[in-house]
C-alpha cells in the first residue's frame, strides 16, 4: 500500500520541529564548557579572524587529534553571524536536524516510510543525542555526514542511484567524514568491510571501492597531523586508565541507546531478532550485518587503544545511525504484522475491534515512542545523566554571561575589569591556548579583562580573594544575575566599597545587574590619560595618590604591548625628579614581571627636602638602556621622560 505522501511529509516536519525545538531551547541555557572553549580558541575567537592556515596550525599545536572541517565551517559562520555562543551553537542544531532528516531518508529507502518516520522520531527524542544539538562541537556534523554517506552507499550498491550525483556525493561525504572526526574512520571501515564481505557485485562493487580510495587520497595530506594526535591521546595515562572494558562499554551503550533504559534497548534488540527470524527481510539483514561489524570494530579499537571512557561517551554517537535504524525497523515491522485481536461481540465490539485492527500499527508505534520519550525525560532529569556528558556538567555551575555580553556590548570600556560570581572556580582556570571559559565572555566578546569569585566565600577568605583577584585594577565592573543573586553579594559589596567608590549603574534588569566602580583615589568622571610609545607599548592610564601622613606616593599605571616579545625587551622606571632635574627616588620593573595589566607602586617621600617635585615615567630598553620616545595623547607632548604628577614638600 502506497504511503500518503502529504501525511508523511507533515509527520516528518512535526518530528523535525520537535528535535529542532528541543535543541534550540538549550542554546543559551548554559555557559560554554571546556571542549567548547577549545573549539572557540581553535577558530580564533580570541584573535579573530583565523585563516584556514591558522586554524590548521592551531589544531596541530593544541588539538592534533581533531580534523579541521567543523572548525572551517564554524570560523566562516562566525565571520557572518558573530561570536556569541548562540550563533555558534546553531551550527550543531542545524546539522542535528539534518541528521534526523537523513535518518528518515535512509530508513525509508531501506524499510519504507513508516520506519523512516519511526527512526526520525527516535532520534528527535534521544536525550543523549540532543545534548550534541547545542554544543560548539562536531558530533552532529559527523552524524549528518554519516547518514548521507550511508544513503549514497546503499543507492550505489543496490541499484537506486541516478546519474553521477550520488557517486560524487559518496566520495565527498567520505572525505568530509574523515575531515570531521577521526572516529568516522570506524564507520567507514565497517562499511568497507561489509562491502568486501557482502556487497561486491560485478562492475559496481569495485567502483565503490575506488570511491573510498579517492576519498582517502583527499584526506592523505592531513594524515600525519591526526596520526600524531592519535598517538598523543592514546598514550595519556589518564585516558588509558579511565577507558571502558568491553562489558562496561556495552552497558553504557545500551543505557544511552535505550534512552536511559538498558531493558528497553535489550527488548528492542530481541524484537528485532524475532522479526528478522520471521520476516527474513534482506535489507534488514544487510543493515544488521553492517551494524554488527561497526560495533565489533569499535570494541576491538577501544580494547586496543583504550580511548573511550565515561566522560567520552559522546564518541559512541557514531553508532546512533545503524542502531536507531534497526530499532525503527523492529518497531514498524512488528506493528505492521501483528494486528490486535477482536474485542467481543455485538456491533460496538466488532466496530471497535475493526478500527483497532486497522490502526494497530499506528497505535503500537505511538505507544513505543511515548514510552521511549518518557524514559528519556526521566533519564535526563536523573543524577546519572550528568555522568555521561563529560565536563559539560561543570557548566551548570558557571554564570551564564551571554546576558552580560548582550547588555554591556555597547557600554563596556577598555579599562573595565569585570568582577562576577561563579559556582565553580574552574570557570577562571586557563586551559589550552592560555584562556579560560570566563575569558570567552570578557576578552573575546567584550574586549575587557575579568575574574569571578566563588559565590560561597565569606569573611576573611572573601576579603583575601578580592585582594588577590582585583590586585591593582582601578576600574571594577560588578556583574551578577538578579534572578539568582550570589549568597555573598552584600558582603562583597561592603568589601569592595572599602577601596572603591560606586559609580554608574550600567544595566539593571531582571537578567543582569552591572555597576561600575572606581578606585577611591579617583572621581567617577575620571578622564583616562594615555601615552603611546614608539615601540608600540602603551601606557593606557595612570594616576598618583599622595599620602601626606605616611610620606608616600601611590603610583598606578596600566600597560599593554602589541606582542609578548616586547615584554622581555623593555623596562619601566617610575621616578621622582626635583626642581633641578635630579632623580631622588626610583622604582624600576620588568614589564613581564607580572601578568596583570595594572601595576601598583609606592615611592617614599620621607627623605625629601622642601621644594617642587615631579613624578615621571620612562620606558627604556633593558640591554642598551636607550629610552623610548612617548607621546601624551591628551596634551600632544612628546618626550622620552614624561611627567604624570607634580607635588610640593613644604618647609
Amino acid at each position: 500500500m502506497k504511503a500518503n505522501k502529504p501525511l508523511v511529509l507533515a509527520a516528518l516536519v512535526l518530528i523535525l520541529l520537535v528535535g529542532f525545538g528541543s535543541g534550540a531551547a538549550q542554546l543559551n541555557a548554559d555557559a560554554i564548557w571546556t571542549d567548547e572553549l577549545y573549539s572557540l580558541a581553535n577558530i580564533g575567537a580570541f584573535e579573530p579572524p583565523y585563516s584556514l592556515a591558522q586554524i590548521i596550525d592551531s589544531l596541530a599545536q593544541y588539538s592534533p587529534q581533531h580534523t579541521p572541517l567543523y572548525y572551517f565551517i564554524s570560523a566562516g559562520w562566525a565571520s557572518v553571524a558573530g561570536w556569541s555562543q548562540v550563533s555558534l551553537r546553531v551550527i550543531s542544531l542545524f546539522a542535528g536536524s539534518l541528521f534526523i532528516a537523513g535518518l528518515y531518508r535512509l530508513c525509508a529507502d531501506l524499510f519504507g516510510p513508516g520506519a523512516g518516520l519511526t527512526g526520525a522520531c527516535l532520534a528527535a527524542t534521544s536525550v543523549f543525542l540532543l545534548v550534541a544539538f547545542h554544543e560548539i562541537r562536531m558530533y552532529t556534523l559527523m552524524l549528518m555526514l554519516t547518514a548521507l554517506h550511508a544513503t549514497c552507499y546503499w543507492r550505489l550498491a543496490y541499484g537506486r542511484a541516478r546519474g553521477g550525483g550520488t557517486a560524487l556525493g559518496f566520495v565527498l561525504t567520505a572525505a568530509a567524514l574523515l575531515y570531521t572526526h577521526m572516529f568516522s574512520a570506524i564507520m567507514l571501515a565497517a562499511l568497507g568491510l561489509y562491502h568486501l564481505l557482502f556487497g561486491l557485485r560485478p562492475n559496481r562493487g569495485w567502483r565503490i571501492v575506488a570511491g573510498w580510495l579517492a576519498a582517502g587520497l583527499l584526506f592523505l595530506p592531513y594524515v600525519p597531523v591526526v596520526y600524531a594526535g592519535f598517538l598523543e591521546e592514546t598514550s595519556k595515562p589518564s585516558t588509558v586508565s579511565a577507558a571502558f572494558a568491553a562489558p562496561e562499554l556495552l552497558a553504557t551503550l545500551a543505557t544511552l541507546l535505550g534512552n536511559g533504559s538498558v531493558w528497553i534497548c535489550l527488548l528492542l534488540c530481541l524484537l528485532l531478532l524475532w522479526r528478522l527470524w520471521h520476516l527474513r527481510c534482506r535489507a534488514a539483514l544487510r543493515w544488521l550485518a553492517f551494524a554488527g561489524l561497526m560495533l565489533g570494530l569499535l570494541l576491538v579499537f577501544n580494547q586496543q587503544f583504550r580511548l573511550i571512557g565515561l566522560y567520552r561517551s559522546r564518541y559512541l554517537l557514531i553508532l546512533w545511525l545503524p542502531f536507531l535504524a534497526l530499532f525503527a525497523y523492529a518497531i514498524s515491522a512488528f506493528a505492521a504484522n501483528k494486528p490486535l485481536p477482536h474485542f467481543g461481540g455485538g456491533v460496538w465490539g466488532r466496530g471497535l475491534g475493526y478500527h483497532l485492527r486497522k490502526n494497530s500499527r499506528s497505535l503500537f508505534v505511538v505507544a513505543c515512542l511515548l514510552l521511549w520519550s518518557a524514559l528519556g525525560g526521566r533519564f535526563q532529569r536523573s543524577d546519572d545523566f550528568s555522568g555521561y556528558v563529560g565536563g559539560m556538567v561543570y557548566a551548570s555551575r558557571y554564570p551564564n554571561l551571554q546576558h552580560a555580553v548582550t547588555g554591556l556590548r555597547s557600554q563596556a570600556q577598555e579599562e573595565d575589569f569585570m568582577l562576577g560570581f561563579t559556582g565553580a572556580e574552574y570557570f577562571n582556570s586557563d586551559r589550552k591556548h592560555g584562556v579560560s571559559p570566563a575569558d570567552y565572555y570578557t576578552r573575546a566578546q567584550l574586549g575587557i579583562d575579568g575574574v569571578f569569585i566563588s559565590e560561597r566565600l565569606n569573611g576573611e577568605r572573601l576579603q583575601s580573594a578580592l585582594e588577590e583577584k582585583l590586585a591593582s585594577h582601578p576600574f571594577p565592573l560588578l556583574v551578577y544575575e538578579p534572578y539568582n543573586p550570589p549568597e555573598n553579594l552584600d558582603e562583597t559589596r561592603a568589601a569592595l566599597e572599602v577601596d572603591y567608590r560606586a559609580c554608574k549603574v550600567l544595566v539593571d534588569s531582571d537578567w543582569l545587574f552591572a555597576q561600575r566602580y572606581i578606585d577611591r583615589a579617583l572621581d567617577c568622571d575620571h578622564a583616562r590619560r594615555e601615552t603611546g610609545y614608539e615601540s608600540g607599548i602603551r601606557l593606557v592610564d595612570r594616576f598618583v595618590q599622595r599620602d601626606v601622613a605616611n610620606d608616600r606616593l601611590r603610583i598606578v599605571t596600566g600597560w599593554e604591548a602589541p606582542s609578548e616579545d616586547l615584554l622581555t625587551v623593555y623596562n619601566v622606571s617610575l621616578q621622582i625628579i626635583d626642581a633641578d632635574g635630579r632623580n631622588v627616588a626610583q622604582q624600576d620593573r620588568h614589564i613581564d614581571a607580572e601578568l596583570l595589566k595594572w601595576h601598583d607602586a609606592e615611592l617614599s617621600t620621607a627623605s625629601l627636602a622642601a621644594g617642587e617635585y615631579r613624578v615621571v615615567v620612562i620606558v627604556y630598553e633593558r640591554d642598551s638602556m636607550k629610552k623610548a620616545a612617548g607621546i601624551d595623547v591628551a596634551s600632544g607632548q612628546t618626550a622620552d621622560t614624561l611627567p604624570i604628577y607634580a607635588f610640593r614638600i613644604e618647609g
Side-chain angles (χ1 to χ4, degrees):
M1 183 176 67
K2 286 188 176 182
N4 186 327
K5 290 185 178 180
L7 187 61
V8 169
L9 179 60
L12 179 59
V13 169
L14 180 60
I15 292 169
L16 287 171
L17 287 174
V18 169
F20 185 89
S22 299
Q26 299 298 314
L27 288 177
N28 203 27
D30 292 318
I32 62 161
W33 67 291
T34 302
D35 283 17
E36 291 183 293
L37 179 70
Y38 296 159
S39 295
L40 289 163
N42 281 320
I43 64 175
F46 295 88
E47 303 173 281
Y50 266 12
S51 65
L52 300 186
Q54 286 175 304
I55 291 173
I56 291 175
D57 289 343
S58 180
L59 288 172
Q61 181 177 356
Y62 296 105
S63 304
Q65 75 276 19
H66 288 302
T67 45
L69 180 60
Y70 172 79
Y71 300 93
F72 289 168
I73 295 171
S74 297
W77 175 250
S79 66
V80 175
W83 294 91
S84 74
Q85 64 186 37
V86 174
S87 62
L88 286 165
R89 284 171 172 171
V90 158
I91 299 172
S92 292
L93 177 62
F94 278 106
S97 300
L98 290 174
F99 167 67
I100 295 173
L103 181 61
Y104 163 79
R105 183 68 274 159
L106 179 65
C107 291
D109 282 357
L110 291 172
F111 313 123
L117 291 176
T118 303
C121 194
L122 290 174
T125 52
S126 174
V127 295
F128 187 68
L129 170 60
L130 288 173
V131 170
F133 277 47
H134 53 88
E135 282 190 288
I136 307 175
R137 300 296 283 167
M138 69 294 294
Y139 299 107
T140 57
L141 177 63
M142 176 182 69
L143 288 171
M144 181 195 79
L145 292 169
T146 300
L148 291 175
H149 184 71
T151 300
C152 289
Y153 170 80
W154 238 254
R155 292 185 175 186
L156 288 171
Y158 298 108
R160 299 196 59 182
R162 297 290 184 269
T166 303
L168 179 61
F170 176 79
V171 175
L172 293 180
T173 52
L177 273 168
L178 292 171
Y179 275 108
T180 299
H181 198 281
M182 65 178 181
F183 263 68
S184 301
I186 293 177
M187 180 268 180
L188 294 173
L191 196 56
L193 185 57
Y194 166 85
H195 184 70
L196 293 176
L197 292 174
F198 308 110
L200 281 178
R201 301 169 66 185
N203 300 322
R204 186 175 302 174
W206 291 108
R207 292 178 184 175
I208 291 175
V209 174
W212 277 320
L213 291 175
L217 290 174
L218 291 174
F219 183 66
L220 194 59
Y222 207 78
V223 168
V225 176
V226 76
Y227 180 68
F230 173 76
L231 292 180
E232 179 183 325
E233 283 297 304
T234 53
S235 61
K236 290 180 179 178
S238 59
T239 299
V240 174
S241 62
F244 286 136
E248 294 173 304
L249 190 148
L250 288 172
T252 300
L253 178 63
T255 299
L256 298 176
L257 265 177
N259 227 12
S261 172
V262 174
W263 295 110
I264 287 297
C265 184
L266 293 176
L267 286 172
L268 287 173
C269 290
L270 291 174
L271 178 62
L272 169 68
L273 295 175
W274 187 64
R275 294 317 300 165
L276 285 174
W277 177 263
H278 287 277
L279 297 180
R280 306 298 175 100
C281 172
R282 184 174 297 178
L285 288 169
R286 289 168 175 165
W287 193 254
L288 178 62
F290 162 59
L293 287 169
M294 194 168 172
L295 176 58
L297 286 178
L298 186 69
L299 288 169
V300 171
F301 170 86
N302 197 54
Q303 186 65 32
Q304 179 66 32
F305 297 107
R306 313 292 294 165
L307 191 58
I308 307 175
L310 183 63
Y311 273 15
R312 288 184 169 176
S313 298
R314 56 191 179 277
Y315 288 177
L316 299 175
L317 283 171
I318 193 70
L319 294 168
W320 257 238
L321 176 77
F323 282 95
L324 288 187
L326 288 172
F327 290 169
Y329 166 74
I331 294 170
S332 59
F334 183 86
N337 292 275
K338 191 70 176 177
L340 295 174
H342 289 279
F343 279 75
V347 175
W348 291 106
R350 288 193 299 271
L352 177 62
Y354 169 77
H355 287 291
L356 288 175
R357 289 195 307 276
K358 183 179 179 180
N359 296 290
S360 62
R361 175 176 181 171
S362 298
L363 290 171
F364 182 82
V365 171
V366 168
C368 288
L369 294 178
L370 287 175
L371 177 60
W372 169 273
S373 300
L375 289 171
R378 186 183 69 174
F379 179 45
Q380 190 176 35
R381 294 188 297 271
S382 70
D383 294 336
D384 294 337
F385 186 69
S386 61
Y388 297 101
V389 297
M392 185 188 296
V393 67
Y394 296 112
S396 62
R397 306 174 197 166
Y398 297 165
N400 191 343
L401 290 181
Q402 199 58 49
H403 299 302
V405 171
T406 303
L408 295 172
R409 193 180 299 279
S410 61
Q411 301 193 66
Q413 298 176 2
E414 183 182 11
E415 66 269 21
D416 286 335
F417 185 74
M418 186 182 292
L419 174 64
F421 302 85
T422 178
E425 182 66 24
Y426 205 49
F427 191 54
N428 297 302
S429 301
D430 287 347
R431 321 290 164 78
K432 296 178 184 178
H433 301 82
V435 294
S436 68
D439 290 333
Y440 165 65
Y441 298 98
T442 55
R443 284 172 47 189
Q445 296 198 71
L446 289 174
I448 63 176
D449 292 326
V451 74
F452 297 81
I453 61 172
S454 171
E455 56 194 23
R456 292 183 293 273
L457 290 179
N458 52 52
E460 292 183 2
R461 294 177 61 205
L462 173 62
Q463 186 68 43
S464 176
L466 286 172
E467 291 175 358
E468 175 189 352
K469 294 180 182 299
L470 282 177
S472 301
H473 289 271
F475 307 107
L477 183 61
L478 183 66
V479 172
Y480 63 90
E481 300 162 333
Y483 64 90
N484 184 31
E487 298 175 9
N488 56 0
L489 175 61
D490 291 338
E491 192 174 354
T492 300
R493 281 187 186 276
L496 192 61
E497 290 174 3
V498 172
D499 297 314
Y500 299 90
R501 68 175 80 248
C503 293
K504 184 179 179 181
V505 174
L506 301 182
V507 182
D508 187 1
S509 69
D510 293 339
W511 293 96
L512 176 69
F513 181 89
Q515 184 173 17
R516 183 170 284 132
Y517 283 72
I518 196 166
D519 191 292
R520 283 201 172 274
L522 303 173
D523 296 324
C524 286
D525 58 355
H526 166 74
R528 191 173 64 173
R529 297 295 300 271
E530 180 181 340
T531 303
Y533 289 87
E534 58 187 1
S535 60
I537 291 174
R538 293 171 58 221
L539 174 58
V540 296
D541 200 3
R542 80 280 181 147
F543 66 89
V544 181
Q545 182 182 21
R546 185 180 176 192
D547 185 349
V548 178
N550 293 302
D551 292 320
R552 64 183 182 182
L553 293 176
R554 176 183 173 224
I555 306 170
V556 180
T557 52
W559 298 92
E560 285 185 353
S563 70
E564 291 187 4
D565 294 339
L566 289 175
L567 301 181
T568 61
V569 175
Y570 289 93
N571 286 356
V572 172
S573 181
L574 300 173
Q575 301 178 7
I576 298 177
I577 306 296
D578 66 14
D580 296 325
R582 291 175 299 183
N583 178 0
V584 296
Q586 177 176 344
Q587 184 181 110
D588 286 25
R589 67 182 292 262
H590 298 320
I591 295 180
D592 64 340
E594 298 177 16
L595 297 177
L596 295 177
K597 173 179 176 179
W598 293 92
H599 176 59
D600 199 337
E602 285 189 359
L603 290 177
S604 174
T605 61
S607 62
L608 299 184
E612 303 287 340
Y613 296 90
R614 293 178 299 158
V615 178
V616 299
V617 59
I618 300 170
V619 175
Y620 63 94
E621 291 184 11
R622 187 177 302 178
D623 295 330
S624 68
M625 306 298 289
K626 179 183 177 182
K627 297 177 182 178
I631 179 171
D632 186 290
V633 174
S635 66
Q637 179 184 0
T638 301
D640 56 18
T641 302
L642 288 168
I644 60 173
Y645 185 72
F647 65 99
R648 177 180 178 82
I649 301 290
E650 299 296 338

